[in-house]
Coordinates of all heavy atoms in Angstrom, one line a residue:
L28 N 0.8 -1.2 0.0 CA 0.0 0.0 0.0 C 0.8 1.3 0.0 O 0.5 2.2 -0.7 CB -1.0 0.0 1.2 CG -2.1 -1.0 1.2 CD1 -2.8 -1.0 2.5 CD2 -3.0 -0.8 0.0
T29 N 2.0 1.2 0.7 CA 2.9 2.4 0.8 C 3.4 2.7 -0.6 O 3.5 3.8 -1.1 CB 4.0 2.1 1.8 OG1 3.4 1.9 3.0 CG2 4.9 3.3 1.8
E30 N 3.8 1.6 -1.4 CA 4.3 1.7 -2.7 C 3.2 2.3 -3.6 O 3.5 3.2 -4.4 CB 4.8 0.4 -3.2 CG 5.4 0.5 -4.6 CD 5.9 -0.8 -5.2 OE1 5.9 -1.8 -4.4 OE2 6.2 -0.9 -6.3
A31 N 2.0 1.7 -3.6 CA 0.9 2.2 -4.4 C 0.6 3.7 -4.1 O 0.4 4.5 -5.0 CB -0.3 1.4 -4.2
A32 N 0.6 4.1 -2.8 CA 0.4 5.5 -2.5 C 1.5 6.4 -3.1 O 1.1 7.5 -3.5 CB 0.3 5.6 -0.9
G33 N 2.7 5.9 -3.0 CA 3.7 6.8 -3.6 C 3.6 7.0 -5.1 O 3.8 8.0 -5.6
I34 N 3.1 6.0 -5.8 CA 2.9 6.1 -7.3 C 1.6 7.0 -7.5 O 1.8 7.9 -8.3 CB 2.6 4.6 -7.8 CG1 3.9 3.8 -7.7 CG2 2.2 4.8 -9.2 CD1 3.7 2.4 -8.0
V35 N 0.6 6.7 -6.7 CA -0.6 7.5 -7.0 C -0.4 9.0 -6.6 O -1.0 9.9 -7.3 CB -1.8 6.9 -6.2 CG1 -3.1 7.9 -6.2 CG2 -2.2 5.6 -6.8
Q36 N 0.3 9.3 -5.6 CA 0.5 10.7 -5.1 C 1.7 11.3 -5.9 O 1.9 12.5 -5.7 CB 0.7 10.7 -3.6 CG -0.5 10.2 -2.9 CD -0.3 10.0 -1.4 OE1 0.8 10.1 -0.9 NE2 -1.3 9.7 -0.7
G37 N 2.5 10.6 -6.6 CA 3.6 11.1 -7.2 C 3.4 11.4 -8.8 O 2.7 12.2 -9.1
R38 N 4.1 10.6 -9.5 CA 4.1 10.8 -11.0 C 2.7 10.7 -11.6 O 2.3 11.4 -12.4 CB 5.1 9.8 -11.7 CG 5.3 10.1 -13.1 CD 6.1 9.1 -13.8 NE 5.1 8.2 -14.4 CZ 5.3 6.8 -14.6 NH1 6.4 6.3 -14.3 NH2 4.3 6.1 -15.1
R39 N 1.9 9.7 -11.0 CA 0.5 9.5 -11.6 C -0.3 10.7 -11.3 O -1.1 11.1 -12.1 CB -0.1 8.2 -11.0 CG 0.6 6.9 -11.4 CD 0.1 6.5 -12.8 NE 0.8 5.4 -13.3 CZ 0.6 4.1 -13.1 NH1 -0.3 3.8 -12.3 NH2 1.4 3.2 -13.6
H40 N -0.1 11.3 -10.1 CA -0.9 12.5 -9.8 C -0.6 13.7 -10.8 O -1.5 14.3 -11.3 CB -0.6 13.0 -8.4 CG -1.5 14.1 -8.0 ND1 -1.0 15.4 -8.2 CD2 -2.7 14.2 -7.4 CE1 -1.9 16.3 -7.8 NE2 -3.0 15.6 -7.3
D41 N 0.7 13.7 -11.2 CA 1.1 14.8 -12.1 C 0.6 14.5 -13.5 O 0.1 15.4 -14.2 CB 2.7 14.8 -12.1 CG 3.3 15.3 -10.9 OD1 2.5 15.9 -10.1 OD2 4.5 15.0 -10.6
E42 N 0.6 13.2 -13.9 CA 0.1 12.8 -15.3 C -1.4 12.9 -15.4 O -2.0 13.2 -16.4 CB 0.6 11.4 -15.6 CG 2.1 11.4 -15.9 CD 2.5 10.0 -16.3 OE1 1.8 9.1 -16.3 OE2 3.8 9.8 -16.5
H43 N -2.1 12.4 -14.3 CA -3.6 12.1 -14.4 C -4.4 13.2 -13.6 O -5.6 13.2 -13.7 CB -4.0 10.8 -14.0 CG -3.2 9.7 -14.6 ND1 -3.0 9.6 -16.0 CD2 -2.6 8.5 -14.1 CE1 -2.3 8.6 -16.3 NE2 -2.0 7.9 -15.2
G44 N -3.7 14.0 -12.9 CA -4.4 15.0 -12.0 C -4.9 14.3 -10.7 O -4.6 13.1 -10.5
D45 N -5.7 15.0 -9.9 CA -6.2 14.5 -8.7 C -7.1 13.3 -9.0 O -8.0 13.3 -9.8 CB -7.1 15.6 -8.1 CG -7.7 15.2 -6.8 OD1 -7.1 14.9 -5.8 OD2 -9.0 15.0 -6.8
A46 N -6.9 12.2 -8.2 CA -7.7 11.0 -8.5 C -9.2 11.2 -8.4 O -9.9 10.7 -9.3 CB -7.2 9.9 -7.5
E47 N -9.7 11.8 -7.4 CA -11.1 12.0 -7.3 C -11.7 12.8 -8.5 O -12.7 12.4 -9.0 CB -11.4 12.7 -6.0 CG -13.0 12.7 -5.7 CD -13.3 13.2 -4.3 OE1 -12.4 13.3 -3.5 OE2 -14.5 13.5 -4.1
R48 N -11.1 13.9 -8.8 CA -11.5 14.6 -10.1 C -11.4 13.8 -11.3 O -12.3 13.9 -12.2 CB -10.7 16.0 -10.2 CG -11.2 17.0 -9.2 CD -10.6 18.4 -9.5 NE -10.0 18.5 -10.8 CZ -9.0 19.3 -11.0 NH1 -8.4 20.0 -10.1 NH2 -8.5 19.5 -12.3
S49 N -10.3 13.0 -11.4 CA -10.1 12.2 -12.6 C -11.2 11.2 -12.7 O -11.8 11.0 -13.7 CB -8.7 11.6 -12.6 OG -8.5 10.7 -13.7
F50 N -11.5 10.5 -11.6 CA -12.5 9.5 -11.6 C -13.9 10.1 -11.8 O -14.8 9.4 -12.5 CB -12.6 8.7 -10.3 CG -11.4 7.7 -10.2 CD1 -10.3 7.7 -11.1 CD2 -11.3 6.9 -9.1 CE1 -9.3 6.8 -10.9 CE2 -10.3 6.0 -8.9 CZ -9.3 5.9 -9.8
E51 N -14.1 11.3 -11.4 CA -15.4 11.9 -11.6 C -15.5 12.3 -13.1 O -16.7 12.1 -13.7 CB -15.5 13.3 -10.8 CG -16.8 14.0 -10.9 CD -16.9 15.2 -10.0 OE1 -16.2 15.2 -8.9 OE2 -17.6 16.1 -10.4
A52 N -14.5 12.7 -13.7 CA -14.5 13.0 -15.2 C -14.8 11.7 -15.9 O -15.6 11.7 -16.9 CB -13.2 13.6 -15.6
I53 N -14.1 10.6 -15.5 CA -14.2 9.3 -16.2 C -15.7 8.8 -16.1 O -16.3 8.4 -17.0 CB -13.3 8.3 -15.7 CG1 -11.8 8.7 -16.0 CG2 -13.6 6.9 -16.2 CD1 -10.7 7.9 -15.2
S54 N -16.2 8.9 -14.8 CA -17.6 8.4 -14.6 C -18.6 9.2 -15.5 O -19.6 8.6 -16.0 CB -17.9 8.4 -13.2 OG -18.1 9.7 -12.6
G55 N -18.3 10.5 -15.6 CA -19.3 11.3 -16.4 C -19.2 10.9 -17.8 O -20.3 10.8 -18.5
L56 N -18.1 10.7 -18.4 CA -18.0 10.3 -19.8 C -18.5 8.9 -20.0 O -19.2 8.7 -21.0 CB -16.5 10.4 -20.2 CG -15.9 11.8 -20.4 CD1 -14.4 11.7 -20.6 CD2 -16.5 12.5 -21.5
W57 N -18.2 8.0 -19.1 CA -18.8 6.6 -19.2 C -20.3 6.6 -19.1 O -21.0 5.9 -19.8 CB -18.1 5.7 -18.2 CG -16.8 5.3 -18.4 CD1 -15.9 5.7 -19.5 CD2 -16.0 4.3 -17.7 NE1 -14.7 5.1 -19.4 CE2 -14.7 4.2 -18.3 CE3 -16.3 3.6 -16.6 CZ2 -13.7 3.4 -17.9 CZ3 -15.3 2.7 -16.1 CH2 -14.0 2.7 -16.8
N58 N -20.8 7.4 -18.2 CA -22.3 7.5 -18.0 C -22.9 8.0 -19.3 O -24.0 7.5 -19.8 CB -22.7 8.3 -16.8 CG -22.6 7.5 -15.5 OD1 -23.0 6.3 -15.5 ND2 -22.1 8.1 -14.5
A59 N -22.3 9.1 -19.9 CA -22.9 9.6 -21.1 C -22.8 8.6 -22.3 O -23.8 8.5 -23.0 CB -22.1 10.9 -21.5
Y60 N -21.7 7.9 -22.3 CA -21.6 6.8 -23.4 C -22.6 5.7 -23.2 O -23.3 5.4 -24.1 CB -20.2 6.2 -23.3 CG -20.0 5.1 -24.3 CD1 -19.6 5.3 -25.6 CD2 -20.2 3.8 -23.9 CE1 -19.5 4.3 -26.5 CE2 -20.1 2.8 -24.8 CZ -19.8 3.0 -26.1 OH -19.6 2.0 -27.0
L61 N -22.7 5.3 -21.9 CA -23.7 4.1 -21.7 C -25.1 4.6 -21.9 O -25.9 3.8 -22.4 CB -23.4 3.6 -20.3 CG -22.1 2.8 -20.1 CD1 -21.9 2.5 -18.7 CD2 -22.1 1.5 -21.0
S62 N -25.4 5.7 -21.5 CA -26.8 6.2 -21.6 C -27.2 6.5 -23.1 O -28.3 6.6 -23.5 CB -27.1 7.4 -20.8 OG -26.4 8.5 -21.2
G63 N -26.1 6.7 -24.0 CA -26.4 7.0 -25.4 C -26.3 5.8 -26.3 O -26.6 6.0 -27.5
R64 N -26.1 4.6 -25.7 CA -26.0 3.4 -26.6 C -27.4 3.1 -27.1 O -28.4 3.3 -26.5 CB -25.6 2.2 -25.7 CG -24.1 2.3 -25.3 CD -23.7 1.2 -24.3 NE -23.9 -0.1 -24.9 CZ -24.3 -1.1 -24.1 NH1 -24.6 -0.9 -22.8 NH2 -24.5 -2.3 -24.6
K65 N -27.5 2.7 -28.4 CA -28.8 2.3 -29.0 C -29.3 1.0 -28.4 O -30.5 0.9 -28.3 CB -28.6 2.1 -30.5 CG -28.3 3.4 -31.3 CD -28.2 3.1 -32.8 CE -28.0 4.4 -33.6 NZ -27.9 4.1 -34.9
T66 N -28.4 0.1 -28.0 CA -28.9 -1.1 -27.5 C -28.5 -1.1 -26.0 O -27.5 -0.6 -25.5 CB -28.2 -2.3 -28.1 OG1 -26.8 -2.2 -28.0 CG2 -28.6 -2.3 -29.6
G67 N -29.4 -1.7 -25.2 CA -29.2 -1.8 -23.8 C -28.4 -3.2 -23.6 O -27.8 -3.7 -24.5
G68 N -28.5 -3.8 -22.4 CA -28.0 -5.1 -22.2 C -26.5 -5.0 -21.8 O -26.0 -4.0 -21.4
A69 N -25.9 -6.1 -21.9 CA -24.5 -6.3 -21.5 C -23.5 -5.5 -22.2 O -23.7 -5.1 -23.4 CB -24.1 -7.7 -21.6
I70 N -22.5 -5.0 -21.5 CA -21.4 -4.2 -22.2 C -20.6 -5.1 -23.1 O -20.3 -6.3 -22.7 CB -20.5 -3.6 -21.1 CG1 -21.3 -2.5 -20.3 CG2 -19.3 -3.0 -21.7 CD1 -20.6 -2.0 -19.1
T71 N -20.3 -4.7 -24.3 CA -19.6 -5.5 -25.2 C -18.1 -5.2 -25.3 O -17.7 -4.2 -24.6 CB -20.1 -5.3 -26.7 OG1 -19.8 -4.0 -27.1 CG2 -21.6 -5.5 -26.8
N72 N -17.3 -6.0 -26.0 CA -15.9 -5.7 -26.1 C -15.7 -4.4 -26.8 O -14.7 -3.7 -26.5 CB -15.2 -6.9 -26.8 CG -15.7 -7.3 -28.1 OD1 -16.8 -6.8 -28.5 ND2 -15.0 -8.1 -28.8
V73 N -16.6 -4.0 -27.7 CA -16.4 -2.7 -28.4 C -16.7 -1.6 -27.5 O -16.0 -0.6 -27.4 CB -17.4 -2.7 -29.7 CG1 -17.4 -1.3 -30.2 CG2 -17.0 -3.7 -30.7
D74 N -17.7 -1.8 -26.6 CA -18.0 -0.8 -25.6 C -16.8 -0.6 -24.6 O -16.5 0.5 -24.3 CB -19.2 -1.2 -24.7 CG -20.5 -1.2 -25.4 OD1 -20.7 -0.4 -26.3 OD2 -21.4 -2.1 -25.1
V75 N -16.2 -1.7 -24.2 CA -15.0 -1.6 -23.4 C -13.9 -0.7 -24.1 O -13.3 0.2 -23.4 CB -14.4 -3.0 -23.0 CG1 -13.1 -2.8 -22.3 CG2 -15.4 -3.7 -22.1
A76 N -13.6 -1.0 -25.3 CA -12.5 -0.3 -26.0 C -12.9 1.2 -26.1 O -12.1 2.1 -26.0 CB -12.3 -0.9 -27.4
Q77 N -14.2 1.5 -26.5 CA -14.6 2.9 -26.5 C -14.5 3.5 -25.1 O -14.2 4.8 -25.1 CB -16.1 2.9 -27.0 CG -16.3 2.4 -28.4 CD -15.9 3.5 -29.4 OE1 -14.7 3.8 -29.6 NE2 -16.8 4.1 -30.1
M78 N -14.9 2.8 -24.1 CA -14.8 3.5 -22.7 C -13.4 3.7 -22.3 O -13.0 4.6 -21.6 CB -15.6 2.6 -21.8 CG -17.1 2.6 -22.1 SD -18.1 1.4 -21.2 CE -17.9 1.9 -19.5
M79 N -12.5 2.8 -22.8 CA -11.0 3.0 -22.6 C -10.5 4.3 -23.2 O -9.7 5.1 -22.7 CB -10.2 1.9 -23.0 CG -10.4 0.6 -22.1 SD -10.1 0.9 -20.3 CE -8.4 1.2 -20.3
V80 N -11.0 4.6 -24.4 CA -10.7 5.8 -25.1 C -11.2 7.0 -24.2 O -10.5 8.0 -24.0 CB -11.4 5.9 -26.5 CG1 -11.4 7.4 -27.1 CG2 -10.8 4.9 -27.5
L81 N -12.4 6.9 -23.7 CA -12.9 8.0 -22.8 C -12.1 8.1 -21.6 O -11.9 9.2 -21.1 CB -14.4 7.7 -22.5 CG -15.3 7.7 -23.7 CD1 -16.8 7.3 -23.4 CD2 -15.4 9.1 -24.3
L82 N -11.6 7.0 -21.0 CA -10.8 7.1 -19.8 C -9.5 7.8 -20.1 O -9.2 8.7 -19.4 CB -10.4 5.6 -19.4 CG -9.5 5.5 -18.2 CD1 -10.0 4.5 -17.2 CD2 -8.1 5.3 -18.6
K83 N -8.9 7.5 -21.2 CA -7.7 8.2 -21.6 C -7.9 9.7 -21.9 O -7.1 10.6 -21.6 CB -7.0 7.5 -22.8 CG -6.4 6.3 -22.5 CD -5.2 6.5 -21.5 CE -4.3 5.3 -21.4 NZ -3.1 5.6 -20.7
M84 N -9.1 10.0 -22.5 CA -9.5 11.3 -22.8 C -9.7 12.1 -21.4 O -9.2 13.3 -21.3 CB -10.8 11.4 -23.6 CG -11.2 12.8 -23.9 SD -12.8 12.8 -24.9 CE -12.3 11.8 -26.3
A85 N -10.4 11.5 -20.4 CA -10.5 12.2 -19.2 C -9.2 12.4 -18.5 O -9.0 13.5 -17.9 CB -11.4 11.3 -18.3
R86 N -8.3 11.5 -18.5 CA -7.0 11.7 -17.9 C -6.3 12.8 -18.6 O -5.5 13.5 -17.9 CB -6.1 10.4 -18.0 CG -6.7 9.4 -17.0 CD -5.8 8.1 -17.1 NE -6.1 7.2 -16.0 CZ -5.5 6.0 -15.8 NH1 -4.6 5.6 -16.7 NH2 -5.8 5.3 -14.8
S87 N -6.4 12.9 -19.9 CA -5.6 14.0 -20.7 C -6.1 15.3 -20.4 O -5.4 16.3 -20.4 CB -5.7 13.7 -22.1 OG -7.0 13.9 -22.7
I88 N -7.4 15.5 -20.0 CA -7.9 16.8 -19.7 C -7.9 17.1 -18.1 O -7.9 18.3 -17.8 CB -9.4 17.0 -20.2 CG1 -10.4 16.0 -19.5 CG2 -9.5 16.9 -21.6 CD1 -11.8 16.3 -19.8
Q89 N -7.5 16.1 -17.3 CA -7.4 16.3 -15.9 C -6.0 16.5 -15.5 O -5.7 17.2 -14.4 CB -8.1 15.2 -15.1 CG -9.6 15.1 -15.2 CD -10.3 16.3 -14.7 OE1 -10.0 16.8 -13.6 NE2 -11.2 16.8 -15.5
G90 N -5.1 16.0 -16.2 CA -3.6 16.0 -15.8 C -2.8 16.7 -16.9 O -3.3 17.5 -17.6
A91 N -1.6 16.3 -16.9 CA -0.7 16.8 -17.9 C -1.0 16.2 -19.3 O -1.5 15.1 -19.4 CB 0.8 16.4 -17.5
P92 N -0.7 16.9 -20.3 CA -1.0 16.4 -21.7 C 0.1 15.4 -22.1 O 1.0 15.6 -22.9 CB -0.9 17.6 -22.6 CG -0.1 18.6 -21.9 CD -0.2 18.3 -20.4
V93 N 0.1 14.2 -21.6 CA 1.0 13.1 -21.7 C 0.8 12.4 -23.1 O -0.4 12.0 -23.3 CB 1.0 12.1 -20.6 CG1 2.0 11.0 -20.7 CG2 1.2 12.8 -19.2
R94 N 1.8 12.3 -23.9 CA 1.6 11.7 -25.2 C 1.0 10.3 -25.2 O 0.2 9.9 -26.0 CB 3.0 11.6 -25.9 CG 3.0 11.0 -27.3 CD 4.4 11.1 -27.9 NE 4.3 10.7 -29.3 CZ 4.4 9.4 -29.8 NH1 4.5 8.4 -28.8 NH2 4.4 9.1 -31.0
D95 N 1.3 9.5 -24.1 CA 0.8 8.2 -24.0 C -0.7 8.1 -24.0 O -1.3 7.2 -24.6 CB 1.3 7.6 -22.7 CG 0.7 6.3 -22.4 OD1 1.1 5.3 -23.0 OD2 -0.1 6.1 -21.4
H96 N -1.4 9.2 -23.5 CA -2.9 9.2 -23.5 C -3.4 9.2 -24.9 O -4.3 8.4 -25.2 CB -3.4 10.4 -22.7 CG -3.1 10.5 -21.2 ND1 -3.1 9.4 -20.5 CD2 -2.7 11.5 -20.5 CE1 -2.7 9.7 -19.2 NE2 -2.5 11.0 -19.2
F97 N -2.8 10.0 -25.7 CA -3.3 10.1 -27.1 C -2.9 8.9 -28.0 O -3.7 8.5 -28.8 CB -2.8 11.4 -27.7 CG -3.1 12.6 -26.9 CD1 -2.2 13.2 -26.0 CD2 -4.4 13.1 -26.9 CE1 -2.5 14.2 -25.2 CE2 -4.8 14.2 -26.1 CZ -3.7 14.8 -25.2
V98 N -1.8 8.3 -27.7 CA -1.4 7.1 -28.4 C -2.3 6.0 -28.0 O -2.8 5.3 -28.9 CB 0.1 6.7 -28.1 CG1 0.4 5.4 -28.7 CG2 1.0 7.8 -28.7
D99 N -2.6 5.9 -26.8 CA -3.5 4.8 -26.3 C -5.0 5.0 -26.9 O -5.6 4.0 -27.2 CB -3.6 4.8 -24.8 CG -2.3 4.2 -24.1 OD1 -1.5 3.6 -24.9 OD2 -2.2 4.2 -22.9
Q100 N -5.4 6.3 -26.9 CA -6.7 6.6 -27.5 C -6.8 6.0 -28.9 O -7.8 5.4 -29.2 CB -7.0 8.0 -27.5 CG -7.4 8.6 -26.1 CD -7.6 10.2 -26.3 OE1 -8.3 10.6 -27.1 NE2 -7.1 10.9 -25.4
A101 N -5.8 6.3 -29.6 CA -5.7 5.8 -31.0 C -5.8 4.4 -31.1 O -6.5 3.7 -31.9 CB -4.5 6.4 -31.8
G102 N -5.0 3.7 -30.3 CA -5.0 2.2 -30.2 C -6.3 1.6 -29.8 O -6.8 0.7 -30.5
Y103 N -6.9 2.1 -28.8 CA -8.2 1.6 -28.3 C -9.2 1.8 -29.4 O -10.1 1.0 -29.7 CB -8.6 2.3 -27.1 CG -7.8 1.8 -25.8 CD1 -7.3 2.7 -25.0 CD2 -7.7 0.4 -25.5 CE1 -6.6 2.2 -23.8 CE2 -7.1 0.0 -24.4 CZ -6.5 0.9 -23.6 OH -5.8 0.4 -22.5
S104 N -9.2 3.0 -30.1 CA -10.2 3.3 -31.1 C -10.0 2.3 -32.3 O -10.9 1.9 -32.8 CB -10.0 4.7 -31.6 OG -11.1 5.1 -32.4
A105 N -8.7 2.1 -32.7 CA -8.5 1.1 -33.7 C -9.0 -0.3 -33.4 O -9.6 -0.9 -34.2 CB -7.0 1.0 -34.1
L106 N -8.8 -0.7 -32.1 CA -9.3 -2.0 -31.7 C -10.8 -2.1 -31.8 O -11.4 -3.1 -32.2 CB -8.8 -2.3 -30.3 CG -7.3 -2.6 -30.1 CD1 -6.9 -2.7 -28.7 CD2 -7.0 -4.0 -30.8
A107 N -11.4 -1.0 -31.3 CA -12.9 -1.0 -31.4 C -13.4 -1.1 -32.8 O -14.3 -1.8 -33.0 CB -13.4 0.4 -30.7
G108 N -12.7 -0.4 -33.7 CA -13.1 -0.5 -35.1 C -12.9 -1.9 -35.6 O -13.8 -2.4 -36.4
E109 N -11.8 -2.5 -35.3 CA -11.6 -3.9 -35.8 C -12.6 -4.9 -35.2 O -13.2 -5.7 -35.9 CB -10.2 -4.4 -35.4 CG -9.1 -3.7 -36.2 CD -7.7 -4.1 -35.7 OE1 -7.6 -5.1 -34.9 OE2 -6.8 -3.4 -36.1
M110 N -12.9 -4.8 -34.0 CA -13.9 -5.7 -33.3 C -15.3 -5.4 -33.8 O -16.1 -6.3 -34.0 CB -13.9 -5.5 -31.8 CG -12.5 -6.1 -31.2 SD -12.5 -6.0 -29.4 CE -12.2 -4.3 -29.1
A111 N -15.7 -4.1 -34.1 CA -17.0 -3.8 -34.6 C -17.1 -4.4 -36.0 O -18.2 -4.9 -36.4 CB -17.2 -2.3 -34.6
H112 N -16.0 -4.3 -36.8 CA -16.1 -4.9 -38.1 C -16.2 -6.4 -38.1 O -17.0 -7.0 -38.9 CB -14.8 -4.5 -38.9 CG -14.7 -5.1 -40.2 ND1 -15.5 -4.7 -41.3 CD2 -14.0 -6.1 -40.8 CE1 -15.2 -5.4 -42.3 NE2 -14.3 -6.3 -42.0
E113 N -15.6 -7.1 -37.2 CA -15.7 -8.5 -37.1 C -17.1 -8.9 -36.6 O -17.6 -9.9 -37.1 CB -14.7 -9.0 -36.0 CG -13.3 -9.0 -36.5 CD -12.2 -9.3 -35.4 OE1 -12.6 -9.7 -34.3 OE2 -11.0 -9.1 -35.7
E114 N -17.7 -8.1 -35.7 CA -19.0 -8.4 -35.2 C -20.1 -8.3 -36.3 O -21.1 -9.0 -36.3 CB -19.4 -7.5 -34.1 CG -18.7 -7.8 -32.8 CD -19.1 -6.9 -31.7 OE1 -20.0 -6.0 -31.8 OE2 -18.6 -7.0 -30.6
S115 N -19.9 -7.3 -37.2 CA -20.8 -7.1 -38.3 C -20.7 -7.9 -39.6 O -21.5 -8.0 -40.4 CB -20.8 -5.6 -38.7 OG -19.6 -5.3 -39.4
A116 N -19.5 -8.7 -39.5 CA -19.3 -9.5 -40.7 C -20.0 -10.8 -40.6 O -20.5 -11.2 -39.7 CB -17.8 -9.8 -40.8

């Protein structure tokens, strides 16, 4: 726990901003995404990839503009596109 606290309160805090504010931003984006889905029911693998894009987006606006956030957004978005294509085939 001490090691985890050092990470969360150190570099991660600088990169992602305050944890509570970051989680609040993430939950807001996830709630908007989930409430806007055309279909209800279980969360799909495409939903997970899309929500990971939103997680990285929230982190990028709450903390420092770390390149990793934007690279990860592109990667998760590409995965969502590939999985959505496979589901529709």
